[in-house]
Amino acid sequence: MVRIIIAIFVLYLIKESTLKAIADSVKGKRSLSKIKVNEISGIIDEIEPADDILNGQVEDVTLKDISYRIGAFYGCKNIKTIHAEDVTLIPESCFEKGLASGCNVYLSPTIKTIGANAFNECNYVRNIYFSGTLDEWAMINFANPQSSPLYATQSAKLYINGRVPSSDIELEATYVNSGAFRYCLFASVKALNALYLSSYAFNNCDSMTQLKLGVCESIGERAVGTCKSLEVADLGTEIGQIDGYAFANDYRLKHLVIRNTTDVVTLKSVTGFDKCYWLLGTK
């Protein structure tokens, strides 16, 4: 019993010394940016997301596969590098409204879920380095479009195993999740096995001229919207639902191919093809 009490007391002292180090950094005694994030991750639940202890000071983040609170690095605008290469989850609002200009993000295929708004208003991401495949990237469970580090910044580049994907891609993925390829500069996309395209999946892919689907059953809100060069969209044989604004602002879309075995396609909103001037014969 005495040994247990002593062990608990020692752990308490270690924790207190770490908290003091962080407090000292706020007072200018030492730079928090030089403290590895995993040193403070265990006590992250004691720090408010926007507290000065973190906000504006942390520059390099290495996430570990432990539990982080929602908004752990909310508003931290000096973060230049994120390493999340051994984790399965990035929590909700983790980096929302933060990150420094030119921030680089390193991710691995161990990541299965990125929580809602994890990269919301992260406008200055420069590069995303993903060490898996295009299909693994497509199937990350982005909780909403703002979960994707590509969502908020048109100038960011996605690297797959160290290389920017070719302009013509063929996906084997069985689904393409929210915001997965927003702003990517693909010329043509084949996703013959995808059962659905989630919201913003290929939104604002300005270079894409052709999209070919095979067994896709549904296309989410703005999934292929504002693809200003898209001319041909082959929706395959199983399309059943097209959500609002799915193809909105695809001004050049001229050929829509539906080869369904049934005659039923549900448009969840009349806005599904909003401002598709060529297709609607209004240009």
Side-chain angles (χ1 to χ4, degrees), residues 36-155:
K36 291 184 179 179
V37 169
N38 61 325
E39 290 184 34
I40 61 174
S41 59
I43 56 170
I44 205 76
D45 59 338
E46 299 189 16
I47 301 171
E48 290 299 319
D51 197 297
D52 285 342
I53 290 174
L54 290 178
N55 189 30
Q57 295 189 57
V58 175
E59 294 181 1
D60 302 297
V61 172
T62 300
L63 296 181
K64 302 296 182 181
D65 199 12
I66 59 175
S67 295
Y68 291 86
R69 71 176 297 167
I70 291 173
F73 301 97
Y74 183 100
C76 293
K77 295 184 182 297
N78 279 359
I79 295 175
K80 298 176 181 178
T81 308
I82 297 169
H83 286 273
E85 294 160 307
D86 297 308
V87 300
T88 58
L89 168 70
I90 295 177
E92 180 179 338
S93 297
C94 189
F95 300 104
E96 186 172 3
K97 296 185 179 180
L99 308 188
S101 178
C103 180
N104 291 316
V105 180
Y106 296 84
L107 305 172
S108 81
T110 60
I111 291 179
K112 304 303 178 186
T113 301
I114 300 181
N117 300 318
F119 288 92
N120 186 38
E121 295 189 39
C122 293
N123 302 320
Y124 303 111
V125 174
R126 177 183 294 168
N127 299 306
I128 301 107
Y129 297 96
F130 183 66
S131 58
T133 66
L134 267 177
D135 293 313
E136 287 173 319
W137 177 262
M139 294 193 292
I140 291 174
N141 179 21
F142 298 106
N144 66 353
Q146 293 87 345
S147 303
S148 171
L150 288 167
Y151 178 80
T153 174
Q154 189 168 357
S155 59

Side-chain angles (χ1 to χ4, degrees), residues 95-243:
F95 300 104
E96 186 172 3
K97 296 185 179 180
L99 308 188
S101 178
C103 180
N104 291 316
V105 180
Y106 296 84
L107 305 172
S108 81
T110 60
I111 291 179
K112 304 303 178 186
T113 301
I114 300 181
N117 300 318
F119 288 92
N120 186 38
E121 295 189 39
C122 293
N123 302 320
Y124 303 111
V125 174
R126 177 183 294 168
N127 299 306
I128 301 107
Y129 297 96
F130 183 66
S131 58
T133 66
L134 267 177
D135 293 313
E136 287 173 319
W137 177 262
M139 294 193 292
I140 291 174
N141 179 21
F142 298 106
N144 66 353
Q146 293 87 345
S147 303
S148 171
L150 288 167
Y151 178 80
T153 174
Q154 189 168 357
S155 59
K157 287 185 178 180
L158 174 65
Y159 290 83
I160 302 295
N161 274 320
R163 299 178 62 183
V164 175
S166 66
S167 60
D168 302 312
I169 66 165
E170 295 188 23
L171 295 172
E172 297 294 331
T174 52
Y175 44 89
V176 182
N177 274 322
S178 294
F181 295 108
R182 192 180 195 206
Y183 292 122
C184 286
L185 300 177
F186 304 136
S188 68
V189 173
K190 286 184 180 179
L192 300 182
N193 296 322
L195 298 175
Y196 60 84
L197 305 184
S198 290
S199 58
Y200 287 84
F202 292 102
N203 184 266
N204 279 99
C205 289
D206 286 347
S207 298
M208 184 166 64
T209 60
Q210 297 183 56
L211 172 68
K212 185 175 178 62
L213 305 176
V215 293
C216 188
E217 297 173 359
S218 68
I219 299 176
E221 181 181 355
R222 301 185 191 275
V224 200
T226 320
C227 294
K228 298 176 182 178
S229 299
L230 185 65
E231 295 185 358
V232 179
D234 184 339
L235 305 189
T237 61
E238 303 296 329
I239 192 69
Q241 179 173 302
I242 299 173
D243 287 357

